[in-house]
Amino acid sequence: MSFGRASRRRFTLLAATAVAGALTLTACGDGNKAGGGGNTNFVTGSGGISTVAKSDRVAAPKLDGNSLEGKPLDLADYRGKVVVLNVWGSWCGPCRLEAKYFAKVSEATKDQGVQFVGINTRDPERDKAINFEKDYGVKYPSFYDPIGKLILRFPKGTLNPQAIPSTVVIDRDGKIAARTLQALNGDELREMIDPIIAEK
């Protein structure tokens, strides 16, 4: 009985690893991975934040599924808001470093029409991810995406998340406006989202 359970767990971990590897995500990487090829129309600043001019932005993919608590979660419900989408895992050191800043900035900006949403990935058990959010005071919802299916929905050659952590900002029209492939502190996060909040 215990052998069967261990075998299933091993198979699940191997399957998750294979899919995650296929994503070419840099787990807890340094954020220096290049994004796409050809004419991508985005510019990466010195702080590692890539932005796209409003006229060149492409629509964010449809992201829907379940939250860490097992409730339905759909990005479309936040259309008309600036959405800060953060890819994270409870096992990821840089994710732990940035979590308190994301929790604080999410509370500070919610009255400005900003909605933070997480994508929890590579956590085989929900409990660890839920405890992570409690430990760091994260009150906004996160998709539970253990093998990275949602991340694959982002179009290639766009500001798609390619590392853990990654942060993507979606404008009020539902288009991808900015991305970073590294952990952020509070000031860096505000530098990333404030220009998009200010857009009319």
Side-chain angles (χ1 to χ4, degrees), residues 29 94-95 97-98 102 165 180-185 188:
C95 300
L97 291 175
E98 72 176 7
F102 276 69
T180 188
L181 302 176
Q182 59 197 25
L184 299 174
N185 63 32
E188 292 164 336

Side-chain angles (χ1 to χ4, degrees), residues 162-191:
Q162 297 178 356
I164 303 169
S166 286
T167 301
V168 174
V169 183
I170 299 167
D171 68 18
R172 292 182 182 89
D173 296 323
K175 295 183 176 181
I176 303 169
R179 177 197 66 187
T180 188
L181 302 176
Q182 59 197 25
L184 299 174
N185 63 32
D187 290 340
E188 292 164 336
L189 182 55
R190 291 304 300 249
E191 179 186 338

Side-chain angles (χ1 to χ4, degrees), residues 1 3-13:
M1 179 73 80
F3 175 78
R5 199 174 301 127
S7 294
R8 280 196 301 277
R9 186 176 296 134
R10 192 177 305 114
F11 175 78
T12 302
L13 284 172

